[in-house]
Amino acid sequence: MADYSKFEALNVQILGISSNIPFSQKTFADSLKLPYPLLSDAPELKVIRSYGGLNQQWDMTTAQRWFFLIDLRGIVRGQWRGSTNDVFPSEPILKAAKELAPKH
Amino acid sequence: MIRWITSGVAVCVIAALMTALNAPAGERPAIAKLLKALNASGYPSAMQPPEFSGFTVDGQRVSLDSLQGKVVILNFWATWCLECRPEMPMFERLHREFGAQGLSVVGINAREGATAVRVYAKELGLTFPLILDPRGTINAAYGVIGLPTTFLIGRDGRPVALAIGPRDWNGEPARALIPALLAEPVVSKGTR
């Protein structure tokens, strides 16, 4: 989130998608004062499934903590896999986004 | 022609009134003003709080469904949470003062045992229901990641407000907000 303004400067729209319902996503987003939208993929989990990111753990199905960078034409240009408990560094995604940014 | 226009206007007024009455309580100007003063955020009309069911330290079963028709203060807390502590006597006061009028104050503990909760309740003289959530399932369903977090639910079962962090629940905005929510009509679940 500290690098949000850097992504914003590159005209990158950040979207978070999870298996949670909108109600719990609102609590989460308000708690962290997230500046970008969270989208709920519950209950069908169609988007998460189509990206291959379903995570079955005990009796819960959640989304893997994966990151995708999609270009202006809708083509996936990068994919990163983070673990559930660690903070994933934004530098590699930011670097890839800079390389995709239109050159002036 | 004039009669048609008049009846058309009447239908529009009735429709507008019905829309206004069907709007979430948090969107009414007087209530929205109090929520702002309390620094609590509102909810879009389509959202519903997740159903939950749990046991209090006394073994009493409490579910959201059982609180239908009441104004509910749902406070997520823990005994180790320093910022939660000053809120508890304030919730107790609201519970005692407005309980008979239809307010239900419910505490949802975060992953602690019955003994710790019982000792804490006795020390602070808390008499409102304190639900145990040993696996954190209710906390997770509500998206709670920090304590205290408090939800206000209206008589119609819809969420009214979310307060993350401690608030002055005996302050002027809160003490005006509770009677305003209690004055809202009770709507049965089927007609929400």
Side-chain angles (χ1 to χ4, degrees):
Chain A
M1 206 162 74
D3 283 340
Y4 178 73
S5 58
K6 293 178 188 170
F7 283 105
E8 210 176 18
L10 291 169
N11 203 23
V12 173
Q13 173 66 61
I14 298 177
L15 297 173
I17 301 181
S18 80
S19 61
N20 303 96
I21 59 168
F23 187 95
S24 67
Q25 285 187 331
K26 175 184 159 52
T27 315
F28 184 84
D30 280 16
S31 298
L32 296 175
K33 297 187 171 65
L34 293 185
Y36 55 85
L38 295 182
L39 309 176
S40 169
D41 199 21
E44 289 93 353
L45 312 177
K46 279 182 189 168
V47 179
I48 298 168
R49 189 175 285 113
S50 69
Y51 277 75
L54 278 185
N55 181 30
Q56 192 72 45
Q57 206 172 25
W58 298 298
D59 56 344
M60 282 194 309
T61 306
T62 57
Q64 301 271 12
R65 198 142 173 266
W66 292 357
F67 304 83
F68 295 90
L69 182 66
I70 301 167
D71 74 7
L72 289 170
R73 289 187 295 162
I75 297 167
V76 175
R77 294 295 187 181
Q79 183 187 338
W80 296 263
R81 296 185 177 198
S83 69
T84 313
N85 298 320
D86 298 326
V87 174
F88 189 83
S90 56
E91 285 80 10
I93 308 175
L94 197 57
K95 186 171 174 274
K98 273 179 190 162
E99 285 164 9
L100 281 183
K103 305 286 183 297
H104 296 289
Chain B
M1 181 71 172
I2 290 170
R3 189 180 295 166
W4 284 7
I5 293 169
T6 316
S7 59
V9 169
V11 168
C12 287
V13 169
I14 291 166
L17 269 172
M18 285 174 75
T19 306
L21 284 171
N22 197 37
E27 285 180 12
R28 307 213 202 299
I31 291 177
K33 198 176 163 187
L34 293 170
L35 292 180
K36 197 177 173 190
L38 195 60
N39 190 21
S41 67
Y43 280 88
S45 56
M47 277 196 194
Q48 286 289 338
E51 177 57 41
F52 69 81
S53 180
F55 288 97
T56 65
V57 284
D58 310 316
Q60 180 197 348
R61 191 179 192 92
V62 178
S63 66
L64 184 59
D65 201 47
S66 69
L67 304 173
Q68 199 183 320
K70 297 191 168 200
V71 171
V72 180
I73 295 180
L74 202 58
N75 170 249
F76 288 76
W77 71 284
T79 61
W80 47 261
C81 164
L82 293 179
E83 289 189 310
C84 299
R85 202 176 175 89
E87 285 192 317
M88 290 306 201
M90 295 193 254
F91 287 133
E92 178 65 24
R93 189 175 162 193
L94 292 176
H95 162 69
R96 288 180 190 227
E97 205 167 323
F98 295 106
Q101 295 168 48
L103 174 70
S104 270
V105 180
V106 177
I108 309 274
N109 178 263
R111 297 170 188 236
E112 292 182 290
T115 308
V117 173
R118 200 175 285 120
V119 168
Y120 186 89
K122 195 177 174 190
E123 185 194 343
L124 295 183
L126 307 177
T127 60
F128 59 87
L130 297 172
I131 296 175
L132 301 170
D133 188 20
R135 293 181 61 196
T137 48
I138 306 174
N139 278 263
Y142 276 73
V144 174
I145 58 167
L147 302 176
T149 295
T150 306
F151 300 86
L152 284 177
I153 300 167
R155 281 196 187 271
D156 60 0
R158 292 194 286 196
V160 175
L162 165 65
I164 290 162
R167 296 290 189 281
D168 180 3
W169 294 102
N170 284 166
E172 211 171 292
R175 295 188 63 78
L177 178 62
I178 301 303
L181 292 175
L182 287 168
E184 291 281 311
V186 179
V187 181
S188 69
K189 208 172 184 178
T191 56
R192 268 182 215 168

